[in-house]
Amino acid sequence: MTAIDSYSHGVSGEREFGFAQAIKAGETIYVSGQLSHDEEGAFTHPDDLDAQLKQVYANFEKVLAHYGVTRNQVVSQTEYVVNLPEHAAALSVANLAFFGDHRPTSTGVGVASLFFPGQLVEVSFVIDTRLPA
């Protein structure tokens, strides 16, 4: 039997919607879509993609720290983006800044809208803990 370890940021939306930010099953960590929210879970930076991406990755860093893994162990990310063609260049800049020379797989999905008004991006991740940090 595989042990399951879940992680939450401890913000209100997790309780109301019944989800964890991440679950580790065996050697794989599945990370829910990270978005731009503060310590209390309030959505931040409406309509500002660059600021939202900064916060997305800052929130994701908390998940990495909880499990003691690094961004070099990310094997896949899926980016859900409002008006993807308009924001593709900014996504590239953010990805290169966050991952450096590491190249996980990446899928960009254009969407009509996300949960919060002004939310432009949400990113989910898969991590393989067997990869070198």
Side-chain angles (χ1 to χ4, degrees):
M1 177 169 213
T2 300
I4 295 178
D5 172 20
S6 67
Y7 167 77
S8 292
H9 289 310
V11 297
S12 62
E14 297 165 343
R15 291 182 293 280
E16 283 83 12
F17 291 97
F19 70 93
Q21 293 294 331
I23 290 182
K24 181 178 180 190
E27 301 302 322
T28 305
I29 303 167
Y30 302 91
V31 183
S32 291
Q34 298 297 289
L35 54 106
S36 181
H37 64 76
D38 62 18
E39 295 294 323
E40 286 76 43
F43 177 69
T44 59
H45 312 297
D47 298 314
D48 184 339
L49 182 69
D50 292 332
Q52 286 183 33
L53 284 166
K54 257 183 144 167
Q55 191 62 51
V56 161
Y57 287 123
N59 291 339
F60 179 50
E61 287 282 0
K62 295 175 188 175
V63 176
L64 295 173
H66 171 79
Y67 289 107
V69 295
T70 73
R71 58 188 79 178
N72 291 331
Q73 293 167 291
V74 174
V75 294
S76 179
Q77 71 172 351
T78 303
E79 299 169 306
Y80 302 92
V81 185
V82 175
N83 200 354
L84 181 57
E86 176 186 330
H87 298 300
L91 288 168
S92 292
V93 169
N95 281 331
L96 290 168
F98 185 75
F99 286 110
D101 291 334
H102 180 61
R103 298 288 182 263
T105 65
S106 182
T107 301
V109 180
V111 298
S113 65
L114 290 164
F115 188 79
F116 293 102
Q119 182 182 355
L120 300 174
V121 65
E122 187 165 326
V123 186
S124 63
F125 303 89
V126 178
I127 302 161
D128 187 335
T129 63
R130 295 169 296 189
L131 294 176

